[in-house]
């Protein structure tokens, strides 16, 4: 499948989700992507002694996971549908010209587990970024202001 983006900004569809919200989720998803499985769940070392390396361990109570899940759950159903459609578009399941059909498929599949589904997707940040890029949107301005 050829990965073509839309030719001009005039061609791009209007998203239900605010671009800033999609970019925020992509940034937070990057924080999730760097997490690794705990190699010593009973580690009793002092975080200062180990240079805070434990912050990269996956944890059920991970504050980043809780933050991104709460944020996604607070979005409207239409915004959640856009997120799923953007993720599918970005991972190569569709082309930019398929936006209406991918969005409809995401709407048909929508349920109360959207946050869990998205947060459980490896490379979510990359997929969202790529999906946005294919539709001629960019998080560059958002990232410049917030990173």
């Amino acid at each position: 499948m050829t990965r073509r983006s839309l030719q001009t900004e005039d061609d791009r569809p209007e998203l239900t989700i605010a671009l800033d919200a999609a970019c925020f989720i992509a940034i937070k998803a990057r924080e999730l992507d760097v997490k690794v499985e705990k190699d010593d769940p009973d580690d009793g070392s002092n975080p200062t002694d180990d240079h805070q390396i434990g912050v990269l361990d996956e944890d059920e109570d991970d504050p980043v996971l809780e933050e991104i899940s709460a944020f996604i759950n607070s979005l409207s159903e239409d915004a959640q549908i856009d997120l799923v459609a953007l993720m599918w578009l970005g991972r190569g399941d569709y082309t930019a010209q398929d936006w209406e059909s991918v969005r409809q498929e995401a709407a048909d599949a929508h349920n109360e587990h959207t946050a869990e589904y998205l947060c459980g997707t490896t490379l979510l940040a990359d997929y969202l970024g790529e999906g946005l890029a294919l539709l001629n949107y960019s998080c560059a301005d958002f990232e410049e202001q917030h990173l």
Side-chain angles (χ1 to χ4, degrees):
M1 180 179 303
T2 303
R3 304 277 309 193
R4 291 185 357 221
S5 64
L6 299 175
Q7 298 303 311
T8 67
E9 286 187 14
D10 294 337
D11 294 339
R12 70 182 182 191
E14 189 171 325
L15 298 175
T16 304
I17 188 168
L19 181 58
D20 284 356
C23 294
F24 173 79
I25 292 166
I27 288 171
K28 288 297 176 181
R30 278 192 202 110
E31 292 179 34
L32 288 178
D33 285 346
V34 298
K35 301 284 182 167
V36 294
E37 190 171 322
K38 280 187 173 187
D39 59 351
D40 186 5
D42 296 325
D43 182 20
S45 73
N46 181 329
T48 306
D49 293 341
D50 65 10
H51 305 288
Q52 299 288 338
I53 196 74
V55 75
L56 297 176
D57 289 342
E58 284 182 351
D59 192 358
E60 293 174 2
D61 307 354
D62 188 300
V64 174
L65 180 58
E66 290 176 12
E67 180 180 18
I68 194 171
S69 294
F71 189 83
I72 292 170
N73 287 331
S74 74
L75 295 171
S76 70
E77 182 175 319
D78 282 334
Q80 291 179 19
I81 289 166
D82 273 4
L83 275 176
V84 171
L86 284 166
M87 192 266 294
W88 289 348
L89 181 67
R91 74 178 182 194
D93 295 352
Y94 300 88
T95 66
Q97 289 71 23
D98 298 326
W99 176 251
E100 293 303 320
S101 61
V102 67
R103 195 178 185 294
Q104 183 58 53
E105 189 171 329
D108 293 342
H110 184 267
N111 60 47
E112 67 275 2
H113 302 290
T114 300
E116 187 178 326
Y117 170 66
L118 290 170
C119 291
T121 301
T122 304
L123 301 177
L124 175 62
D126 293 337
Y127 294 150
L128 289 176
E130 181 66 18
L132 287 165
L134 288 170
L135 297 179
N136 281 323
Y137 288 96
S138 172
C139 290
D141 291 339
F142 182 86
E143 289 174 350
E144 187 176 302
Q145 294 174 358
H146 294 90
L147 293 180

